[in-house]
Amino acid sequence: VQLQASGGGLVQAGGSLRLSCAASGRTFSNYHMAWFRQAPGKEREFVAAIKWNVGSTYYADSVKGRFTASRDSAKNTVYLQMNSLKPDDTAVYYCAASLRTYVIANYYPTFAYQYDTWGQGTLVTVSS
């Protein structure tokens, strides 16, 4: 699987952006896709995850209620709609895919090491 992220840019606080992550190559129906972000001088942190087969989602507390992850199966693309953006959301955003399966049905992997494939990242800058 190869991932290509896009959609980053400069936006004012309170604004919105939508990130896209197109998957190509061999794809599977039962894997997780996720968004992580990394701000300058900070560790990469989990933002949101989505189960590809059912479209259910899970979010970090810091973005819950503001960000929405979704996927378009026909386009092999996942999205991250980001609303009410804050300066603290400034970071490089990465999409990632995990091909691992988990016994617990409603489990969402939230650690970077649990993801096998990463996109190149797209920069989101939120000005105050």
Side-chain angles (χ1 to χ4, degrees):
V1 176
Q2 294 80 43
L3 304 176
Q4 180 72 36
S6 62
L10 173 64
V11 64
Q12 288 188 334
S16 299
L17 278 176
R18 189 178 79 157
L19 306 183
S20 300
C21 178
S24 60
R26 185 181 182 186
T27 57
F28 302 89
S29 61
N30 59 336
Y31 59 86
H32 294 86
M33 296 287 292
W35 291 95
F36 286 77
R37 66 186 181 186
Q38 187 165 18
K42 295 187 177 181
E43 293 186 354
R44 192 168 298 189
E45 66 172 353
F46 169 79
V47 174
I50 184 167
K51 291 184 183 291
W52 185 266
N53 56 348
V54 295
S56 56
T57 54
Y58 181 79
Y59 301 93
D61 288 343
S62 58
V63 306
K64 199 174 296 182
R66 300 188 298 123
F67 291 11
T68 303
S70 61
R71 57 91 169 98
D72 184 329
S73 300
K75 296 182 178 179
N76 277 339
T77 299
V78 294
Y79 302 97
L80 185 68
Q81 177 66 44
M82 304 184 296
N83 298 328
S84 301
L85 283 161
K86 306 174 182 179
D88 284 349
D89 295 319
T90 294
V92 176
Y93 283 71
Y94 299 88
C95 60
S98 173
L99 305 183
R100 310 178 192 190
T101 56
Y102 297 93
V103 175
I104 302 174
N106 63 348
Y107 176 78
Y108 293 84
T110 61
F111 295 97
Y113 73 83
Q114 295 176 301
Y115 287 83
D116 313 286
T117 303
W118 293 81
Q120 83 286 8
T122 184
L123 176 62
V124 172
T125 304
V126 184
S127 63
S128 57

